[in-house]
mmCIF file of all heavy atoms in Angstrom:
data_model
loop_
_atom_site.group_PDB
_atom_site.id
_atom_site.type_symbol
_atom_site.label_atom_id
_atom_site.label_comp_id
_atom_site.label_asym_id
_atom_site.label_seq_id
_atom_site.Cartn_x
_atom_site.Cartn_y
_atom_site.Cartn_z
ATOM 1 N N ALA A 52 -16.123 22.933 -27.517
ATOM 2 C CA ALA A 52 -15.688 23.883 -28.559
ATOM 3 C C ALA A 52 -14.197 23.771 -28.780
ATOM 4 O O ALA A 52 -13.721 23.791 -29.913
ATOM 5 C CB ALA A 52 -16.059 25.288 -28.140
ATOM 6 N N GLY A 53 -13.434 23.600 -27.690
ATOM 7 C CA GLY A 53 -11.992 23.471 -27.818
ATOM 8 C C GLY A 53 -11.590 22.202 -28.584
ATOM 9 O O GLY A 53 -10.715 22.242 -29.444
ATOM 10 N N ILE A 54 -12.249 21.093 -28.328
ATOM 11 C CA ILE A 54 -11.993 19.847 -29.023
ATOM 12 C C ILE A 54 -12.362 19.994 -30.518
ATOM 13 O O ILE A 54 -11.586 19.567 -31.391
ATOM 14 C CB ILE A 54 -12.718 18.656 -28.381
ATOM 15 C CG1 ILE A 54 -12.055 18.378 -27.067
ATOM 16 C CG2 ILE A 54 -12.765 17.472 -29.314
ATOM 17 C CD1 ILE A 54 -12.772 17.329 -26.211
ATOM 18 N N LEU A 55 -13.450 20.652 -30.799
ATOM 19 C CA LEU A 55 -13.844 20.852 -32.181
ATOM 20 C C LEU A 55 -12.843 21.697 -32.933
ATOM 21 O O LEU A 55 -12.393 21.315 -34.038
ATOM 22 C CB LEU A 55 -15.255 21.492 -32.235
ATOM 23 C CG LEU A 55 -15.796 21.765 -33.639
ATOM 24 C CD1 LEU A 55 -16.091 20.441 -34.374
ATOM 25 C CD2 LEU A 55 -17.045 22.620 -33.547
ATOM 26 N N VAL A 56 -12.443 22.796 -32.333
ATOM 27 C CA VAL A 56 -11.536 23.721 -33.014
ATOM 28 C C VAL A 56 -10.092 23.206 -33.044
ATOM 29 O O VAL A 56 -9.365 23.373 -34.044
ATOM 30 C CB VAL A 56 -11.580 25.099 -32.330
ATOM 31 C CG1 VAL A 56 -10.495 26.033 -32.844
ATOM 32 C CG2 VAL A 56 -12.961 25.723 -32.563
ATOM 33 N N ALA A 57 -9.640 22.540 -31.981
ATOM 34 C CA ALA A 57 -8.230 22.142 -31.931
ATOM 35 C C ALA A 57 -7.942 20.744 -32.520
ATOM 36 O O ALA A 57 -6.838 20.483 -32.962
ATOM 37 C CB ALA A 57 -7.776 22.125 -30.474
ATOM 38 N N PHE A 58 -8.956 19.861 -32.498
ATOM 39 C CA PHE A 58 -8.697 18.502 -32.907
ATOM 40 C C PHE A 58 -9.529 18.029 -34.083
ATOM 41 O O PHE A 58 -9.003 17.384 -34.984
ATOM 42 C CB PHE A 58 -8.869 17.527 -31.726
ATOM 43 C CG PHE A 58 -7.944 17.784 -30.602
ATOM 44 C CD1 PHE A 58 -8.373 18.377 -29.423
ATOM 45 C CD2 PHE A 58 -6.590 17.479 -30.682
ATOM 46 C CE1 PHE A 58 -7.518 18.620 -28.378
ATOM 47 C CE2 PHE A 58 -5.724 17.739 -29.661
ATOM 48 C CZ PHE A 58 -6.168 18.325 -28.473
ATOM 49 N N VAL A 59 -10.833 18.257 -34.059
ATOM 50 C CA VAL A 59 -11.726 17.689 -35.075
ATOM 51 C C VAL A 59 -11.537 18.424 -36.427
ATOM 52 O O VAL A 59 -11.227 17.753 -37.431
ATOM 53 C CB VAL A 59 -13.207 17.739 -34.609
ATOM 54 C CG1 VAL A 59 -14.121 17.269 -35.740
ATOM 55 C CG2 VAL A 59 -13.399 16.873 -33.379
ATOM 56 N N LEU A 60 -11.750 19.706 -36.457
ATOM 57 C CA LEU A 60 -11.682 20.449 -37.754
ATOM 58 C C LEU A 60 -10.294 20.378 -38.365
ATOM 59 O O LEU A 60 -10.194 20.091 -39.585
ATOM 60 C CB LEU A 60 -12.118 21.901 -37.562
ATOM 61 C CG LEU A 60 -13.603 22.090 -37.216
ATOM 62 C CD1 LEU A 60 -13.887 23.568 -36.960
ATOM 63 C CD2 LEU A 60 -14.506 21.531 -38.281
ATOM 64 N N PRO A 61 -9.199 20.545 -37.629
ATOM 65 C CA PRO A 61 -7.890 20.438 -38.296
ATOM 66 C C PRO A 61 -7.582 19.043 -38.833
ATOM 67 O O PRO A 61 -7.019 18.913 -39.944
ATOM 68 C CB PRO A 61 -6.874 20.774 -37.198
ATOM 69 C CG PRO A 61 -7.664 21.570 -36.181
ATOM 70 C CD PRO A 61 -9.030 21.069 -36.263
ATOM 71 N N ARG A 62 -8.025 18.026 -38.142
ATOM 72 C CA ARG A 62 -7.794 16.634 -38.651
ATOM 73 C C ARG A 62 -8.646 16.352 -39.863
ATOM 74 O O ARG A 62 -8.249 15.618 -40.773
ATOM 75 C CB ARG A 62 -7.997 15.617 -37.542
ATOM 76 C CG ARG A 62 -6.771 15.584 -36.603
ATOM 77 C CD ARG A 62 -6.981 14.644 -35.467
ATOM 78 N NE ARG A 62 -5.739 14.513 -34.679
ATOM 79 C CZ ARG A 62 -5.184 15.423 -33.915
ATOM 80 N NH1 ARG A 62 -5.793 16.571 -33.798
ATOM 81 N NH2 ARG A 62 -4.094 15.197 -33.247
ATOM 82 N N GLN A 63 -9.842 16.879 -39.878
ATOM 83 C CA GLN A 63 -10.658 16.757 -41.107
ATOM 84 C C GLN A 63 -9.973 17.408 -42.259
ATOM 85 O O GLN A 63 -9.901 16.846 -43.407
ATOM 86 C CB GLN A 63 -12.034 17.428 -40.885
ATOM 87 C CG GLN A 63 -13.001 16.636 -40.014
ATOM 88 C CD GLN A 63 -14.322 17.317 -39.874
ATOM 89 O OE1 GLN A 63 -14.511 18.470 -40.265
ATOM 90 N NE2 GLN A 63 -15.261 16.621 -39.299
ATOM 91 N N GLU A 64 -9.388 18.603 -42.049
ATOM 92 C CA GLU A 64 -8.702 19.318 -43.136
ATOM 93 C C GLU A 64 -7.498 18.498 -43.606
ATOM 94 O O GLU A 64 -7.214 18.442 -44.814
ATOM 95 C CB GLU A 64 -8.275 20.694 -42.677
ATOM 96 C CG GLU A 64 -9.462 21.645 -42.507
ATOM 97 C CD GLU A 64 -9.097 22.939 -41.810
ATOM 98 O OE1 GLU A 64 -7.907 23.212 -41.540
ATOM 99 O OE2 GLU A 64 -10.040 23.669 -41.509
ATOM 100 N N GLU A 65 -6.726 17.894 -42.696
ATOM 101 C CA GLU A 65 -5.615 17.086 -43.085
ATOM 102 C C GLU A 65 -6.017 15.900 -43.956
ATOM 103 O O GLU A 65 -5.366 15.609 -44.961
ATOM 104 C CB GLU A 65 -4.883 16.559 -41.838
ATOM 105 C CG GLU A 65 -4.115 17.596 -41.043
ATOM 106 C CD GLU A 65 -3.610 17.058 -39.717
ATOM 107 O OE1 GLU A 65 -3.659 15.827 -39.513
ATOM 108 O OE2 GLU A 65 -3.161 17.876 -38.892
ATOM 109 N N LEU A 66 -7.101 15.245 -43.570
ATOM 110 C CA LEU A 66 -7.568 14.099 -44.374
ATOM 111 C C LEU A 66 -8.070 14.605 -45.727
ATOM 112 O O LEU A 66 -7.849 13.888 -46.760
ATOM 113 C CB LEU A 66 -8.688 13.382 -43.590
ATOM 114 C CG LEU A 66 -8.211 12.587 -42.384
ATOM 115 C CD1 LEU A 66 -9.387 12.064 -41.584
ATOM 116 C CD2 LEU A 66 -7.306 11.416 -42.791
ATOM 117 N N LEU A 67 -8.733 15.718 -45.769
ATOM 118 C CA LEU A 67 -9.174 16.259 -47.051
ATOM 119 C C LEU A 67 -7.955 16.609 -47.954
ATOM 120 O O LEU A 67 -8.011 16.379 -49.171
ATOM 121 C CB LEU A 67 -10.025 17.542 -46.872
ATOM 122 C CG LEU A 67 -11.456 17.252 -46.390
ATOM 123 C CD1 LEU A 67 -12.152 18.571 -46.118
ATOM 124 C CD2 LEU A 67 -12.226 16.440 -47.411
ATOM 125 N N ASP A 68 -6.939 17.153 -47.351
ATOM 126 C CA ASP A 68 -5.730 17.478 -48.138
ATOM 127 C C ASP A 68 -5.143 16.234 -48.749
ATOM 128 O O ASP A 68 -4.681 16.209 -49.877
ATOM 129 C CB ASP A 68 -4.686 18.207 -47.302
ATOM 130 C CG ASP A 68 -5.086 19.639 -46.952
ATOM 131 O OD1 ASP A 68 -5.988 20.174 -47.650
ATOM 132 O OD2 ASP A 68 -4.557 20.237 -45.997
ATOM 133 N N ARG A 69 -5.097 15.146 -47.984
ATOM 134 C CA ARG A 69 -4.584 13.875 -48.494
ATOM 135 C C ARG A 69 -5.416 13.410 -49.662
ATOM 136 O O ARG A 69 -4.855 12.915 -50.665
ATOM 137 C CB ARG A 69 -4.534 12.818 -47.422
ATOM 138 C CG ARG A 69 -3.420 12.994 -46.473
ATOM 139 C CD ARG A 69 -3.275 11.798 -45.599
ATOM 140 N NE ARG A 69 -2.262 12.082 -44.577
ATOM 141 C CZ ARG A 69 -2.157 11.411 -43.448
ATOM 142 N NH1 ARG A 69 -2.947 10.422 -43.178
ATOM 143 N NH2 ARG A 69 -1.216 11.724 -42.614
ATOM 144 N N LEU A 70 -6.730 13.455 -49.506
ATOM 145 C CA LEU A 70 -7.604 13.009 -50.603
ATOM 146 C C LEU A 70 -7.443 13.886 -51.815
ATOM 147 O O LEU A 70 -7.431 13.386 -52.959
ATOM 148 C CB LEU A 70 -9.059 13.019 -50.145
ATOM 149 C CG LEU A 70 -9.446 11.879 -49.165
ATOM 150 C CD1 LEU A 70 -10.840 12.149 -48.597
ATOM 151 C CD2 LEU A 70 -9.420 10.553 -49.917
ATOM 152 N N LYS A 71 -7.272 15.178 -51.615
ATOM 153 C CA LYS A 71 -7.068 16.083 -52.784
ATOM 154 C C LYS A 71 -5.738 15.835 -53.468
ATOM 155 O O LYS A 71 -5.594 16.091 -54.630
ATOM 156 C CB LYS A 71 -7.192 17.542 -52.312
ATOM 157 C CG LYS A 71 -8.628 17.929 -51.979
ATOM 158 C CD LYS A 71 -8.718 19.330 -51.459
ATOM 159 C CE LYS A 71 -10.157 19.618 -50.992
ATOM 160 N NZ LYS A 71 -10.288 20.871 -50.315
ATOM 161 N N ASP A 72 -4.748 15.386 -52.680
ATOM 162 C CA ASP A 72 -3.428 15.031 -53.270
ATOM 163 C C ASP A 72 -3.440 13.607 -53.781
ATOM 164 O O ASP A 72 -2.347 13.091 -54.071
ATOM 165 C CB ASP A 72 -2.329 15.200 -52.194
ATOM 166 C CG ASP A 72 -2.126 16.637 -51.829
ATOM 167 O OD1 ASP A 72 -2.508 17.536 -52.629
ATOM 168 O OD2 ASP A 72 -1.515 16.893 -50.760
ATOM 169 N N GLU A 73 -4.607 13.011 -53.878
ATOM 170 C CA GLU A 73 -4.800 11.630 -54.348
ATOM 171 C C GLU A 73 -4.024 10.621 -53.549
ATOM 172 O O GLU A 73 -3.409 9.672 -54.095
ATOM 173 C CB GLU A 73 -4.423 11.577 -55.854
ATOM 174 C CG GLU A 73 -5.353 12.432 -56.721
ATOM 175 C CD GLU A 73 -5.094 12.243 -58.197
ATOM 176 O OE1 GLU A 73 -4.184 11.500 -58.559
ATOM 177 O OE2 GLU A 73 -5.800 12.871 -58.997
ATOM 178 N N GLN A 74 -4.050 10.790 -52.234
ATOM 179 C CA GLN A 74 -3.471 9.810 -51.294
ATOM 180 C C GLN A 74 -4.604 9.227 -50.467
ATOM 181 O O GLN A 74 -5.533 9.940 -50.087
ATOM 182 C CB GLN A 74 -2.433 10.465 -50.373
ATOM 183 C CG GLN A 74 -1.250 11.046 -51.069
ATOM 184 C CD GLN A 74 -0.374 11.835 -50.069
ATOM 185 O OE1 GLN A 74 -0.700 11.898 -48.913
ATOM 186 N NE2 GLN A 74 0.679 12.367 -50.606
ATOM 187 N N ALA A 75 -4.535 7.960 -50.204
ATOM 188 C CA ALA A 75 -5.557 7.346 -49.367
ATOM 189 C C ALA A 75 -5.320 7.778 -47.910
ATOM 190 O O ALA A 75 -4.199 7.885 -47.447
ATOM 191 C CB ALA A 75 -5.411 5.805 -49.468
ATOM 192 N N PRO A 76 -6.406 8.060 -47.194
ATOM 193 C CA PRO A 76 -6.262 8.439 -45.809
ATOM 194 C C PRO A 76 -5.734 7.244 -44.956
ATOM 195 O O PRO A 76 -6.112 6.117 -45.223
ATOM 196 C CB PRO A 76 -7.692 8.837 -45.359
ATOM 197 C CG PRO A 76 -8.609 8.459 -46.469
ATOM 198 C CD PRO A 76 -7.790 8.065 -47.639
ATOM 199 N N ASP A 77 -4.909 7.559 -44.024
ATOM 200 C CA ASP A 77 -4.360 6.579 -43.115
ATOM 201 C C ASP A 77 -5.492 6.133 -42.136
ATOM 202 O O ASP A 77 -6.187 6.995 -41.559
ATOM 203 C CB ASP A 77 -3.222 7.114 -42.332
ATOM 204 C CG ASP A 77 -2.506 6.089 -41.449
ATOM 205 O OD1 ASP A 77 -2.623 4.921 -41.773
ATOM 206 O OD2 ASP A 77 -1.883 6.500 -40.486
ATOM 207 N N HIS A 78 -5.671 4.811 -41.983
ATOM 208 C CA HIS A 78 -6.733 4.316 -41.101
ATOM 209 C C HIS A 78 -6.591 4.820 -39.675
ATOM 210 O O HIS A 78 -7.574 5.139 -39.017
ATOM 211 C CB HIS A 78 -6.752 2.804 -41.133
ATOM 212 C CG HIS A 78 -7.852 2.169 -40.310
ATOM 213 N ND1 HIS A 78 -9.171 2.237 -40.697
ATOM 214 C CD2 HIS A 78 -7.829 1.565 -39.146
ATOM 215 C CE1 HIS A 78 -9.914 1.657 -39.794
ATOM 216 N NE2 HIS A 78 -9.129 1.196 -38.823
ATOM 217 N N ARG A 79 -5.343 4.903 -39.183
ATOM 218 C CA ARG A 79 -5.130 5.401 -37.836
ATOM 219 C C ARG A 79 -5.621 6.843 -37.651
ATOM 220 O O ARG A 79 -6.166 7.210 -36.606
ATOM 221 C CB ARG A 79 -3.629 5.309 -37.428
ATOM 222 C CG ARG A 79 -3.143 3.947 -37.127
ATOM 223 C CD ARG A 79 -1.730 4.008 -36.712
ATOM 224 N NE ARG A 79 -0.976 4.852 -37.660
ATOM 225 C CZ ARG A 79 0.340 4.809 -37.837
ATOM 226 N NH1 ARG A 79 1.051 3.993 -37.119
ATOM 227 N NH2 ARG A 79 0.911 5.617 -38.703
ATOM 228 N N ASP A 80 -5.445 7.629 -38.684
ATOM 229 C CA ASP A 80 -5.875 9.051 -38.596
ATOM 230 C C ASP A 80 -7.391 9.134 -38.527
ATOM 231 O O ASP A 80 -7.951 9.970 -37.803
ATOM 232 C CB ASP A 80 -5.353 9.837 -39.800
ATOM 233 C CG ASP A 80 -3.837 10.073 -39.751
ATOM 234 O OD1 ASP A 80 -3.273 9.940 -38.637
ATOM 235 O OD2 ASP A 80 -3.271 10.285 -40.804
ATOM 236 N N THR A 81 -8.069 8.242 -39.327
ATOM 237 C CA THR A 81 -9.549 8.323 -39.253
ATOM 238 C C THR A 81 -10.065 7.783 -37.926
ATOM 239 O O THR A 81 -11.074 8.275 -37.406
ATOM 240 C CB THR A 81 -10.197 7.515 -40.421
ATOM 241 O OG1 THR A 81 -9.782 6.153 -40.382
ATOM 242 C CG2 THR A 81 -9.822 8.134 -41.747
ATOM 243 N N VAL A 82 -9.388 6.827 -37.362
ATOM 244 C CA VAL A 82 -9.790 6.295 -36.068
ATOM 245 C C VAL A 82 -9.586 7.343 -34.982
ATOM 246 O O VAL A 82 -10.441 7.536 -34.103
ATOM 247 C CB VAL A 82 -9.024 4.963 -35.746
ATOM 248 C CG1 VAL A 82 -9.241 4.568 -34.269
ATOM 249 C CG2 VAL A 82 -9.440 3.867 -36.662
ATOM 250 N N GLN A 83 -8.456 8.037 -35.043
ATOM 251 C CA GLN A 83 -8.155 9.080 -34.062
ATOM 252 C C GLN A 83 -9.187 10.192 -34.196
ATOM 253 O O GLN A 83 -9.679 10.727 -33.190
ATOM 254 C CB GLN A 83 -6.720 9.593 -34.224
ATOM 255 C CG GLN A 83 -6.338 10.547 -33.136
ATOM 256 C CD GLN A 83 -4.933 11.034 -33.331
ATOM 257 O OE1 GLN A 83 -4.588 11.516 -34.430
ATOM 258 N NE2 GLN A 83 -4.103 10.938 -32.317
ATOM 259 N N LEU A 84 -9.514 10.591 -35.417
ATOM 260 C CA LEU A 84 -10.555 11.613 -35.626
ATOM 261 C C LEU A 84 -11.882 11.138 -35.072
ATOM 262 O O LEU A 84 -12.594 11.920 -34.442
ATOM 263 C CB LEU A 84 -10.647 11.928 -37.114
ATOM 264 C CG LEU A 84 -11.798 12.868 -37.485
ATOM 265 C CD1 LEU A 84 -11.633 14.236 -36.778
ATOM 266 C CD2 LEU A 84 -11.831 13.060 -38.998
ATOM 267 N N ALA A 85 -12.209 9.897 -35.291
ATOM 268 C CA ALA A 85 -13.465 9.344 -34.738
ATOM 269 C C ALA A 85 -13.471 9.415 -33.242
ATOM 270 O O ALA A 85 -14.522 9.708 -32.598
ATOM 271 C CB ALA A 85 -13.688 7.942 -35.221
ATOM 272 N N MET A 86 -12.333 9.181 -32.577
ATOM 273 C CA MET A 86 -12.233 9.274 -31.128
ATOM 274 C C MET A 86 -12.499 10.719 -30.665
ATOM 275 O O MET A 86 -13.298 10.916 -29.754
ATOM 276 C CB MET A 86 -10.859 8.816 -30.636
ATOM 277 C CG MET A 86 -10.678 8.965 -29.136
ATOM 278 S SD MET A 86 -8.972 8.840 -28.598
ATOM 279 C CE MET A 86 -8.301 10.292 -29.344
ATOM 280 N N PHE A 87 -11.817 11.689 -31.282
ATOM 281 C CA PHE A 87 -12.040 13.080 -30.899
ATOM 282 C C PHE A 87 -13.500 13.514 -31.134
ATOM 283 O O PHE A 87 -14.080 14.236 -30.311
ATOM 284 C CB PHE A 87 -11.065 14.000 -31.614
ATOM 285 C CG PHE A 87 -9.683 13.908 -31.131
ATOM 286 C CD1 PHE A 87 -8.628 13.630 -32.001
ATOM 287 C CD2 PHE A 87 -9.361 14.124 -29.801
ATOM 288 C CE1 PHE A 87 -7.331 13.545 -31.544
ATOM 289 C CE2 PHE A 87 -8.064 14.041 -29.336
ATOM 290 C CZ PHE A 87 -7.039 13.752 -30.206
ATOM 291 N N THR A 88 -14.032 13.037 -32.249
ATOM 292 C CA THR A 88 -15.439 13.370 -32.554
ATOM 293 C C THR A 88 -16.368 12.743 -31.497
ATOM 294 O O THR A 88 -17.313 13.393 -31.078
ATOM 295 C CB THR A 88 -15.793 12.853 -33.953
ATOM 296 O OG1 THR A 88 -14.934 13.471 -34.904
ATOM 297 C CG2 THR A 88 -17.232 13.151 -34.274
ATOM 298 N N GLY A 89 -16.079 11.539 -31.079
ATOM 299 C CA GLY A 89 -16.889 10.896 -30.034
ATOM 300 C C GLY A 89 -16.831 11.665 -28.723
ATOM 301 O O GLY A 89 -17.854 11.817 -28.072
#
């Protein structure tokens, strides 16, 4: 639960904000998010 609340959900929101601002997500950020999700 701590990992979900502290790392997964906030990083998802950051990536969504980038997409909404019409910026491509950084590959490192998606890899890091995948690690926390794993």
Side-chain angles (χ1 to χ4, degrees):
I54 288 172
L55 181 66
V56 170
F58 298 107
V59 175
L60 294 176
R62 281 177 173 72
Q63 286 180 350
E64 290 170 7
E65 290 171 10
L66 290 170
L67 284 175
D68 288 342
R69 284 192 186 159
L70 286 169
K71 289 176 185 173
D72 291 341
E73 297 185 0
Q74 298 173 359
D77 185 25
H78 183 72
R79 285 183 312 202
D80 291 339
T81 59
V82 169
Q83 188 180 52
L84 174 59
M86 177 196 64
F87 287 124
T88 301

